[in-house]
Amino acid sequence: MFKSPYSQSRIIKKNNEVYVQKCYMTIFGIKWYFISSFFWNYPFVGDPKERFTREVDFFLERWSTNNIIVPKLIDIDSKELCITREFIEGEEVNEDNIEVVGKGLRDIHESGYVLGDTKLSNFVVVRNRLGIIDAEQSLKSNNPYYKAWDLLVLFLFLSYKIVNLNNFSDAVRKFLNEYNPDKSIVREIFNIKNINLMSFYPPTHLYVLKNLMTNFY
């Protein structure tokens, strides 16, 4: 399922339990140096130790919300920069459960965290709760621009998953009804600084997104 050294993570089994082992000093992590240089808008980091620290801090945070789930850390190796965590099994994010992502991401932002990398595969839905299985680019911040970045990245991946415009519109509307962004976040989503990210959107989907966002101005 995962082939080292091209992936950071692999599934391991021990005593009939399933875990995920993730090591940050693999060649796979080099992608972040390229991403951080192109998408300079968000403070992405390529350094393995920093990514390790960000993810560990996020998973060890004392979350007071019932809308999200983070995996329990079984082992933390600060020398080899590896963690072993529980395997969270859940549904893929789709248009039928996207409102769960809205609730969960709202609570993450209200708790003073942003994720940076909000592609859909970094989440699973577990009994109407949002499971976060990758948080190596997360950081503590209440900056509305970084919150807007999280939304824009998420909608980008959603636009390629849901090709049909009507279905995409319905999914975004479900998300926004639960997340309920304030005006400061909506303004930052279409900040000119995000032109590099918006250029990856299908033009029709971006047009639909802009129209839906006007309801929150």
Side-chain angles (χ1 to χ4, degrees), residues 5 18 22 25 47 60 89 100 105 111 114 174 191 194:
V18 180
K22 182 173 183 178
M25 290 194 295
D47 179 67
L60 290 180
E89 188 172 0
V100 176
L105 191 55
S111 298
V114 290
K174 287 180 183 178
N191 190 313
N194 292 329

Side-chain angles (χ1 to χ4, degrees), residues 28 31-32 35 93 116-123 134 136 150 153-154 157-158:
F28 180 82
K31 70 173 185 177
W32 289 115
I35 291 174
V93 173
D117 183 15
T118 49
K119 61 177 177 283
L120 303 182
S121 59
N122 286 344
F123 307 110
D134 190 312
E136 64 180 276
D150 276 356
V153 172
L154 186 142
F157 282 91
L158 194 66

Side-chain angles (χ1 to χ4, degrees), residues 11 23 49 61 79 114 148 154 170 177-178 181 190 199-200:
I11 303 293
C23 295
K49 186 175 182 179
E61 180 73 16
K79 183 178 180 180
V114 290
L154 186 142
D170 289 343
N177 286 339
E178 294 295 342
F190 299 107
S199 67
F200 286 91

